[in-house]
Amino acid sequence: VQLQASGGGLVQTGESLRLSCAASGRIFKLNGMGWYRQAPGKERELVAGITSGGVVNYADSVKGRFTISRDNAKNATYLEMNRLKPEDTAVYYCNCRAKATMDSGAYDYWGQGTQVTVSS
């Protein structure tokens, strides 16, 4: 399973960005998908997650500003980020838990990361 993320960039405070992530390769079942971020000198943290059934959860710091969604037909997830703040600056990673075959276990997979920089 491979994850390809895109959509990062440099924006000013208050602006918006939309991240996209598509899973490809051998996928029998795609379970939860999510976005994590890691700022310099900090640990990686969960930003938002969404189950295969569409149940979502968010970090408190992004509630009301970020929206996660997914397109099961495309094995894709999206993160709409509004009212961005300098503290949102980080490398954003796409994540999913998937079964490659019917007989395999479910494992976590990670995308390559996309940089989001918010200037003040």
Side-chain angles (χ1 to χ4, degrees):
V1 178
Q2 295 83 44
L3 293 173
Q4 181 67 44
S6 61
L10 172 62
V11 297
Q12 295 187 335
T13 297
E15 294 186 337
S16 300
L17 278 175
R18 186 175 189 252
L19 305 183
S20 300
C21 175
S24 62
R26 194 171 188 182
I27 302 172
F28 173 75
K29 182 175 174 58
L30 193 57
N31 295 327
M33 301 186 80
W35 293 92
Y36 289 71
R37 67 186 181 187
Q38 187 167 19
K42 295 188 177 181
E43 293 187 354
R44 190 174 296 189
E45 63 175 355
L46 174 67
V47 176
I50 184 167
T51 69
S52 57
V55 177
V56 301
N57 67 290
Y58 297 97
D60 287 342
S61 59
V62 306
K63 282 180 181 176
R65 299 188 298 122
F66 291 11
T67 302
I68 188 171
S69 61
R70 68 187 282 170
D71 184 334
N72 289 330
K74 297 181 178 179
N75 289 334
T77 182
Y78 309 96
L79 186 67
E80 187 75 35
M81 304 184 293
N82 297 315
R83 304 199 305 278
L84 282 161
K85 305 175 181 180
E87 49 263 44
D88 295 317
T89 295
V91 177
Y92 284 69
Y93 295 92
C94 177
N95 165 270
C96 77
R97 173 153 287 209
K99 290 170 62 75
T101 68
M102 183 175 64
D103 297 324
S104 68
Y107 298 96
D108 283 333
Y109 297 89
W110 294 89
Q112 82 283 11
T114 184
Q115 177 70 46
V116 172
T117 303
V118 185
S119 63
S120 57

